[in-house]
Amino acid sequence: MGEAIRRGATGALASLVVALAACESESIIEPGPDTGPLTAYIDGEAFIAETALVDRLQTHIVVTASSGDRSLRFEFPDLGTRNYVIGPGNPVIAEVTIGSSTWRADETTGNGTITVRESIPSYLAGSFDVRLEGSDGSTMALTSGLFVIIG
């Protein structure tokens, strides 16, 4: 009986080590001069934007970021610092494009949150975690996202 418990404990310990290793592979990448203005994980793979822009329209903010053939786009009401929830009744959009394929989260598909922590005309900072859907029904996770965009 003691051996069965030990084996079970060893299996649980091995599962914990695997789980911790998975968590470590998606550690936070802080945006900045040595990385980029926007960082995230796209289905577990690090994304560090080479460029990011904020376009303040009359009532909305549009954030675009890109690196190589991968780009992200967010659109949300310009209501200051708050959580912008993606889902029914909320005019919040997130898109990821890789090559010619696009995944989207909006009022009818996907879900998530874009959090704006600071917002002034020349500076936007915050975080995001979003689940997006492709037109083919595939899903994508956009996780541990951070942005600090100046200009």
Side-chain angles (χ1 to χ4, degrees), residues 41-64:
Y41 286 89
I42 299 174
D43 278 343
E45 182 180 332
F47 172 80
I48 300 172
E50 295 170 359
T51 61
L53 300 169
V54 175
D55 202 4
R56 292 178 185 270
L57 307 175
Q58 290 179 355
T59 61
H60 277 73
I61 292 177
V62 178
V63 174
T64 54

Side-chain angles (χ1 to χ4, degrees), residues 43-98:
D43 278 343
E45 182 180 332
F47 172 80
I48 300 172
E50 295 170 359
T51 61
L53 300 169
V54 175
D55 202 4
R56 292 178 185 270
L57 307 175
Q58 290 179 355
T59 61
H60 277 73
I61 292 177
V62 178
V63 174
T64 54
S66 64
S67 181
D69 72 340
R70 300 184 297 172
S71 65
L72 276 63
R73 179 180 171 277
F74 300 133
E75 184 173 337
F76 50 89
D78 190 358
L79 301 173
T81 58
R82 63 176 44 206
N83 291 329
Y84 294 92
V85 177
I86 299 170
N90 298 323
V92 181
I93 298 168
E95 288 181 342
V96 173
T97 301
I98 301 176

Side-chain angles (χ1 to χ4, degrees), residues 88-141:
N90 298 323
V92 181
I93 298 168
E95 288 181 342
V96 173
T97 301
I98 301 176
S100 61
S101 299
T102 300
W103 291 260
R104 182 178 172 100
D106 57 29
E107 291 186 60
T108 61
T109 187
N111 59 57
T113 303
I114 300 167
T115 301
V116 175
R117 297 195 196 312
E118 293 184 57
S119 179
I120 59 174
S122 61
Y123 183 84
L124 187 70
S127 60
F128 56 91
D129 280 284
V130 181
R131 186 186 61 76
L132 307 102
E133 295 182 17
S135 59
D136 62 356
S138 63
T139 60
M140 171 183 287

Side-chain angles (χ1 to χ4, degrees), residues 14-48:
S15 296
L16 178 61
V17 169
V18 169
L20 288 174
C23 290
E24 287 182 84
S25 68
E26 196 174 289
S27 58
I28 301 295
I29 304 170
E30 293 291 335
D34 295 331
T35 53
L38 184 146
T39 62
Y41 286 89
I42 299 174
D43 278 343
E45 182 180 332
F47 172 80
I48 300 172

